[in-house]
Amino acid sequence: MKAIRVSDFGGPDVLKVQEVPDPKPDSGQLLVRVRAAGVNPADTYIRAGAYARKPSLPYTPGMDASGIVEAVGPNVKRFKPGDRVYTNGTITGACAELALCEESRVHPLPSKVSFAQGAALGVPYGTAYRALFQRGHAKPGEILLVHGASGGVGIACVQFARALGMTVIGTAGSDKGRALVAAQGAQHVVDHHMTDYEKQIMGITGGSGVNLITEMLANVNLAKDLGMVAAGGRIVVIGSRGTIEINPRDAMAREASILGLILWAVTDSEFLEIHAAIVAGLENGTLRPIVNQELPLADAPRSHQLVMEPGAYGKIVLVP
Ligand code: NAP
């Protein structure tokens, strides 16, 4: 099969298309013929060798994929060849024609969801669910600020939160991104590049602040977030690309909580909960992944550049 291979950590050009042997499913594993693979920011940190967990070289990148079950190993119970599926983690890498997966990381893809949309689920929707429900304890009637709502995780937060009955304020850096965030259900949209955006957000809440923040760029925003949360407010740190100085008194005064999130800490039972919720939301139409660009597998280097550029608009996926 053809696969993207990385033999040295480095810039996007280290992503090369190569021929590698087809993987074979062992007990409890299945082989998926990949129809689309999602590109996540973490894939670029891993490729650069800048991530806390490094794969051994050479490796095939990518965590999220969708496709059709090609073959199943012994003891696979829930799937058969021909089933439409998505995966939130592979053994051999998502950016390839075939991906070997543990059965527990494979989920049914409803027929009304495209393969490109299926590649936008594992990391983005899994992270959004964990941030809102497993870390942030989101409740209907609360006000949520999705700080960075135009990208893969942000759109998923907006859709989950609206389905729950929250009031959603979403931020984006471009007109196109803000229009997308509003179209996905956010009742209020704000430009995170405006100098007075905190005033706008406090105004929307009538001065009381937001109950929950899902934060995509904490190294820029955490100090301001602490000034925008209501009493008992929670801030879930999803993304951060550096350090920041905060005033701890801002947290004391509101009894606010700063909660970290890392997807690799999710347990098997939590994954069951996450993907049961995602599949239900796909089936009932409350979750509708937005795909901005579909690029051929050979354009993996370009996809890694694009995912780090400003002006997010949903997901970028690779198509083998
Ligand atoms: P993405 O699709 O590239 O979207 C990035 C988002 O960040 C966009 O909405 C972008 O908005 C926004 N952003 C840019 N500047 C911002 C600012 N000053 N303030 C607030 N938001 C800003 O990425 P993603 O997949 O949604 O992931 C978002 C972040 O979470 C990434 O850093 C990723 O690495 C991290 N993440 C962490 C975990 C974890 O386990 N902790 C899991 C998944 C993702 P504009 O482009 O419109 O400006």
Side-chain angles (χ1 to χ4, degrees):
M1 67 166 180
K2 286 194 172 56
I4 300 292
R5 299 292 280 170
V6 173
S7 301
D8 292 301
F9 296 118
D13 289 344
V14 301
L15 299 162
K16 309 270 190 219
V17 181
Q18 286 178 7
E19 285 286 337
V20 296
D22 288 2
K24 301 265 178 295
D26 210 336
S27 178
Q29 300 176 345
L30 38 78
L31 193 62
V32 176
R33 183 154 295 275
V34 175
R35 299 288 297 271
V39 180
N40 290 294
D43 298 327
T44 74
Y45 320 148
I46 295 167
R47 183 217 69 228
Y51 204 58
R53 292 188 168 191
K54 290 185 194 56
S56 44
L57 296 168
Y59 77 98
T60 293
M63 294 169 254
D64 295 340
S66 66
I68 294 174
V69 176
E70 178 91 358
V72 298
N75 302 315
V76 167
K77 297 189 171 56
R78 293 183 300 133
F79 300 101
K80 60 180 184 322
D83 287 349
R84 297 175 97 249
V85 294
Y86 75 91
T87 173
N88 69 308
T90 75
I91 300 163
T92 51
C95 293
E97 289 176 323
L98 294 164
L100 190 65
C101 308
E102 297 291 349
E103 186 180 12
S104 61
R105 295 287 177 268
V106 179
H107 318 281
L109 186 68
S111 57
K112 63 182 168 187
V113 183
S114 71
F115 288 116
Q117 289 178 304
L121 293 169
V123 171
Y125 281 76
T127 302
Y129 184 92
R130 184 163 183 78
L132 292 171
F133 302 111
Q134 295 179 336
R135 304 295 289 143
H137 301 292
K139 292 183 195 65
E142 287 192 323
I143 304 178
L144 169 71
L145 170 62
V146 184
H147 215 165
S150 49
V153 180
I155 293 290
C157 285
V158 171
Q159 293 174 354
F160 268 127
R162 277 310 309 273
L164 183 69
M166 302 185 89
T167 297
V168 179
I169 306 169
T171 77
S174 70
D175 287 340
K176 205 177 152 199
R178 284 188 291 280
L180 174 68
V181 172
Q184 294 314 307
Q187 292 96 327
H188 306 275
V189 285
V190 170
D191 180 352
H192 47 230
H193 298 312
M194 296 281 280
T195 47
D196 69 339
Y197 77 81
E198 309 103 279
K199 272 196 199 143
Q200 287 180 50
I201 290 168
M202 291 308 285
I204 291 166
T205 68
S208 57
V210 299
N211 305 105
L212 179 60
I213 300 179
T214 51
E215 179 52 71
M216 306 305 153
L217 201 56
N219 57 302
V220 172
N221 297 322
L222 189 58
K224 288 180 176 176
D225 289 346
L226 281 169
M228 288 191 288
V229 282
R234 294 91 67 204
I235 302 164
V236 183
V237 176
I238 297 173
S240 189
R241 293 178 179 168
T243 58
I244 183 170
E245 187 176 312
I246 61 165
N247 183 347
R249 280 190 176 272
D250 290 334
M252 288 161 63
R254 296 165 178 80
E255 293 203 313
S257 307
I258 301 170
L259 300 152
L261 180 156
I262 196 77
L263 215 44
W264 72 56
V266 176
T267 63
D268 284 347
S269 66
E270 288 170 332
F271 268 133
L272 270 179
E273 174 187 328
I274 288 171
H275 290 281
I278 292 174
V279 173
L282 294 171
E283 283 171 352
N284 69 29
T286 51
L287 303 183
R288 306 163 307 275
I290 302 295
V291 177
N292 182 16
Q293 290 199 63
E294 294 180 46
L295 300 171
L297 195 61
D299 280 355
R302 183 163 158 66
S303 75
H304 276 214
Q305 282 163 349
L306 289 172
V307 77
M308 296 303 282
E309 285 176 4
Y313 194 91
K315 286 298 300 179
I316 298 165
V317 305
L318 292 169
V319 180

